[in-house]
Amino acid sequence: DTAVSQTPKYLVTQMGNDKSIKCEQNLGHDTMYWYKQDSKKFLKIMFSYNNKELIINETVPNRFSPKSPDKAHLNLHINSLELGDSAVYFCASRLGGANTEAFFGQGTRLTVV
Amino acid sequence: GDSVTQMEGPVTLSEEAFLTINCTYTATGYPSLFWYVQYPGEGLQLLLKATKADDKGSNKGFEATYRKETTSFHLEKGSVQVSDSAVYFCALNTLGGSEKLVFGKGTKLTVNP
């Protein structure tokens, strides 16, 4: 069983469209994240949720809206896609606490054309 | 804010060579430190971690020691293999209410036979 699973793995779409990426974890973790990895492999946190509550929102445009229906799921919806949104988006989860590791999904490669 | 600086890549080595990837951090207090590895087309996975000063994390022949006095967590391996080719990320866990992993920019390692 995959611990953190994201769908879809690849997403190609036109500018201006709205798209969603789904993430589910079966580890029983309390905290989930979305990270964005750019073409130079730089990873930047976007959002963090703890038990369905938004904890971190790191200066992400309003076009990005996370939704956590329960603590096992954290979805990312993006409105009015722009070329600059092209990147790999990673979902991650962790149990919480400073010493715990984060488990990452396989990533969703978003290409906006 | 908290940050991680790691050596710029790419790094290219021959099989069985010695590897060092430097990592230094800036943080309030004493965060936990991590090395993550990303193989091509995959998500990140934990390679090793250290949670307090002088701790040594180790896994798969890789080692890193938490050095408080130099705020460093350098990754080393005595004899690399072709299968170690990947991107390596140093990270710290921020302390306080909004815990998150802050990553360095990643170092791409290529090992040639």
Side-chain angles (χ1 to χ4, degrees):
Chain A
D1 267 351
T2 304
V4 181
S5 59
Q6 298 177 226
T7 54
K9 189 169 182 180
Y10 300 98
L11 185 53
V12 181
T13 188
Q14 291 187 324
M15 273 196 308
N17 283 350
D18 304 337
K19 290 293 178 186
S20 291
I21 307 172
K22 295 187 175 182
C23 178
E24 175 182 5
Q25 54 96 2
N26 63 6
L27 298 166
H29 289 167
D30 298 322
T31 305
M32 296 185 73
Y33 304 88
W34 278 108
Y35 280 84
K36 179 180 180 181
Q37 185 175 48
D38 64 22
S39 58
K40 295 184 178 180
K41 301 290 188 184
F42 184 57
L43 277 159
K44 184 171 171 57
I45 190 167
M46 301 173 69
F47 301 103
S48 164
Y49 268 73
N50 183 280
N51 278 320
K52 302 193 298 175
E53 183 182 344
L54 179 66
I55 302 296
I56 295 172
N57 181 342
E58 290 273 321
T59 59
V60 177
N62 290 342
R63 299 181 295 103
F64 290 79
S65 54
K67 283 187 172 52
S68 182
D70 55 62
K71 77 173 194 176
H73 295 83
L74 180 61
N75 304 323
L76 183 65
H77 188 75
I78 315 170
N79 289 329
S80 303
L81 278 155
E82 300 177 357
L83 293 177
D85 298 331
S86 296
V88 181
Y89 292 84
F90 285 102
C91 177
S93 74
R94 68 194 298 191
L95 192 55
N99 299 338
T100 60
E101 68 178 281
F103 290 77
F104 283 78
Q106 294 281 72
T108 296
R109 181 174 293 278
L110 171 65
T111 303
V112 183
V113 297
Chain B
D2 296 350
S3 66
V4 174
T5 302
Q6 62 181 102
M7 65 186 279
E8 296 279 335
V11 174
T12 302
L13 296 172
S14 297
E15 210 165 20
E16 298 183 5
F18 184 85
L19 169 71
T20 300
I21 301 178
N22 290 338
C23 171
T24 57
Y25 67 90
T26 302
T28 306
Y30 303 109
S32 294
L33 301 173
F34 305 82
W35 276 100
Y36 280 81
V37 58
Q38 184 179 25
Y39 298 103
E42 298 185 11
L44 280 76
Q45 50 186 279
L46 180 70
L47 181 60
L48 53 84
K49 71 178 184 183
T51 59
K52 60 184 187 297
D54 300 325
D55 264 4
K56 178 188 280 188
S58 61
N59 185 25
K60 299 182 182 179
F62 290 89
E63 291 183 342
T65 300
Y66 190 140
R67 301 282 187 207
K68 184 179 67 174
E69 59 278 6
T70 54
T71 61
S72 64
F73 193 53
H74 304 320
L75 183 69
E76 296 183 337
K77 185 173 185 182
S79 176
V80 292
Q81 305 300 311
V82 173
S83 57
D84 294 326
S85 298
V87 181
Y88 292 81
F89 293 91
C90 185
L92 64 80
N93 186 62
T94 61
L95 302 174
S98 302
E99 289 178 355
K100 63 184 179 186
L101 283 171
V102 174
F103 287 89
K105 291 189 175 181
T107 302
K108 183 175 180 180
L109 170 67
T110 301
V111 181
N112 295 319

